[in-house]
Amino acid sequence: MTKIDIISGFLGAGKTTLIKKLLEEVYAGEKLVLIENEFGEIGIDGGFLKDSGIEITEMNSGCICCSLVGDFGEALVKVLEQYNPDRVIIEPSGVGKLSDVIKAVKRVGHEGQMELGNFVTVADATKARVYMKNFGEFYNDQIEAAGAIILSRTQGMDEEKLRKAVDLLRERNENAPILTTPWDVLTGAQIMEAMEGISLAEKLQEELEHEHEHHHHHDDDDECCCGHHHHHDDDDDDDDEHEHHHHHHDEDCCDHDHEHEHHHHHEDGEECSCGHHHEHGHHHADEVFTSWGAETINKFSEEQLRDALKALDSLEYGTVLRAKGIVMSDDGEWFHYDYVPGEISIRKGAADYTGRLCVIGSDLDEDGLKKLFNI
């Protein structure tokens, strides 16, 4: 199965630079073909990329979305049949429409031989407003159709200008991850993570599910799915089944607004503290929890970040079971943080493609969380 990646971007945005970084750090060892489409008579990047040992197919007579749709289809079929590559990277013309490129790939078909992988847009952060105003038909399409938006030239950019650029792009694409961190402090793998839209919430859901499946046996002090410890009045552990009652300020980890009983059967089937019955303790976290996540370019002092995380213990924002994220510090470094009720960990670490926040729990107050983290 050949994966088809499309790396688009307006003229001069830095597509070729991005592709070179990915070739060196991510795609090494893959059998890969690059299909370029330069707008003009001569393709100028082919020689630059041939140094990487990549097969180059250039199409120089027009943009992929108009006169070359037919030729493009033939070229892609030829590539698949002749080279059987692991991956094909398509670098469309800077003035091409990404939506049309995606349609052209889908039109080729060849089910079982190829799948559409990542379709991203590289955007010069310093020129977002002027390009959107002057070349909206083409520029906006590239933004709107992108599965991820990779910003270039953010080094040393004024924070407020960067925020305005991100806001403009977000108006055109609500869901795509937007990479705001300068590329030179990121690994190719981190950029690939942004391209693939890997959600921090998904990662946390997997961690919670793993933890939840392994925490059904309790001693005198039980830890339920909310991460809090509850003491029993009855210290008799002779029975395999036991009950405990607890209040979470009228909220609890099972989305109920009343006190309830938790039954723990440690035999073939288990009814755990989430209130659901699961055979052998196997269930999915998304059956129980909800998540809130956001991207941010905001900078935090350690005190600001710690105060925001401490506030999650108040239950004012819902029953928060876990929070995790990576944000830029006010001195330009990066904080990696983890939170469980009553416990906070903040450490310095590597940069991420942009600041990312994630909270998992039940009955989450999303508007309140946005205000808490100044989103």
Side-chain angles (χ1 to χ4, degrees):
M1 178 75 72
T2 298
K3 179 169 286 190
I4 312 294
D5 287 348
I6 305 169
I7 299 181
S8 70
F10 209 67
L11 297 167
K15 300 188 297 296
T16 302
T17 303
L18 174 63
I19 291 172
K20 188 171 188 292
K21 184 176 179 69
L22 295 175
L23 291 177
E24 293 173 348
E25 301 181 23
V26 179
Y27 298 141
E30 290 191 18
K31 188 176 182 182
L32 188 148
V33 172
L34 172 68
I35 296 180
E36 280 194 310
N37 169 224
E38 285 295 335
F39 183 79
E41 294 300 320
I42 300 173
I44 60 175
D45 292 324
F48 172 64
L49 287 165
K50 280 180 181 175
D51 293 339
S52 302
I54 305 304
E55 184 72 27
I56 308 292
T57 301
E58 293 182 353
M59 298 173 287
N60 301 318
S61 60
C63 64
I64 207 171
C65 60
C66 49
S67 64
L68 275 183
V69 169
D71 292 344
F72 166 75
E74 292 176 8
L76 183 54
V77 170
K78 179 180 178 181
V79 162
L80 294 174
E81 294 178 349
Q82 183 172 341
Y83 298 104
N84 190 28
D86 299 315
R87 187 184 305 267
V88 172
I89 298 178
I90 299 170
E91 183 186 359
S93 162
V95 293
K97 292 184 178 180
L98 177 56
S99 63
D100 285 338
V101 180
I102 294 171
K103 291 175 185 175
V105 172
K106 291 180 177 179
R107 194 178 296 122
V108 171
H110 276 252
E111 293 182 8
Q113 285 185 261
M114 55 167 273
E115 63 175 343
L116 185 59
N118 307 303
F119 40 100
V120 306
T121 293
V122 183
D124 184 336
T126 67
K127 294 182 172 63
R129 179 180 294 276
V130 66
Y131 283 172
M132 197 171 283
K133 179 180 179 180
N134 295 323
F135 308 104
E137 178 184 354
F138 301 96
Y139 186 86
N140 292 344
D141 181 272
Q142 292 180 6
I143 299 302
E144 292 165 358
I149 300 168
I150 314 295
L151 294 187
S152 61
R153 300 182 176 88
T154 60
Q155 297 94 327
M157 192 174 177
D158 178 80
E159 183 176 348
E160 185 58 28
K161 289 182 179 178
L162 178 57
R163 188 189 309 280
K164 289 179 179 178
V166 170
D167 288 345
L168 280 173
L169 298 172
R170 189 55 78 199
E171 289 177 7
R172 294 287 174 178
N173 191 323
E174 294 182 358
N175 300 313
I178 300 178
L179 184 151
T180 60
T181 304
W183 301 356
D184 54 0
V185 296
L186 294 176
T187 65
Q190 288 174 307
I191 294 175
M192 193 69 178
E193 181 177 293
M195 289 170 57
E196 294 181 341
I198 296 175
S199 165
L200 194 60
E202 291 174 347
K203 289 183 178 180
L204 275 184
Q205 292 277 20
E206 291 177 2
E207 290 179 21
L208 272 175
E209 184 173 1
H210 176 76
E211 293 170 3
H212 206 60
E213 289 176 353
H214 290 82
H215 287 85
H216 295 288
H217 298 279
H218 308 295
D219 296 319
D220 291 341
D221 293 339
D222 282 357
E223 182 176 350
C224 77
C225 68
C226 60
H228 295 282
H229 292 272
H230 308 279
H231 298 270
H232 298 293
D233 294 330
D234 184 2
D235 291 328
D236 185 0
D237 293 328
D238 292 339
D239 294 331
D240 286 335
E241 179 179 9
H242 58 273
E243 300 178 357
H244 64 275
H245 304 268
H246 57 279
H247 295 274
H248 292 298
H249 296 268
D250 294 328
E251 292 184 16
D252 57 55
C253 58
C254 304
D255 293 323
H256 298 300
D257 293 326
H258 56 82
E259 181 178 354
H260 61 278
E261 298 179 357
H262 295 284
H263 301 274
H264 300 271
H265 300 274
H266 303 296
E267 297 174 355
D268 291 341
E270 293 195 3
E271 185 176 330
C272 75
S273 54
C274 62
H276 296 283
H277 189 82
H278 307 284
E279 293 299 323
H280 306 290
H282 291 290
H283 55 282
H284 295 284
D286 58 9
E287 297 172 359
V288 185
F289 309 122
T290 58
S291 66
W292 169 82
E295 295 181 349
T296 180
I297 66 168
N298 291 346
K299 296 180 180 179
F300 295 81
S301 69
E302 184 170 352
E303 182 180 6
Q304 288 173 323
L305 182 57
R306 190 173 297 276
D307 287 346
L309 295 173
K310 283 181 179 178
L312 299 179
D313 280 331
S314 69
L315 299 179
E316 179 182 348
Y317 303 96
T319 303
V320 179
L321 314 177
R322 189 79 181 274
K324 189 173 186 177
I326 303 172
V327 295
M328 185 178 287
S329 70
D330 53 5
D331 60 3
E333 297 190 84
W334 289 78
F335 287 129
H336 293 227
Y337 69 83
D338 287 275
Y339 162 93
V340 293
E343 184 177 335
I344 295 169
S345 170
I346 300 175
R347 64 191 185 280
K348 293 286 183 70
D352 202 353
Y353 65 78
T354 193
R356 295 198 287 167
L357 308 161
C358 183
V359 176
I360 287 182
S362 64
D363 296 326
L364 297 180
D365 177 5
E366 296 190 5
D367 290 336
L369 289 169
K370 289 178 182 178
K371 291 180 182 178
L372 179 65
F373 289 98
N374 193 29
I375 302 301

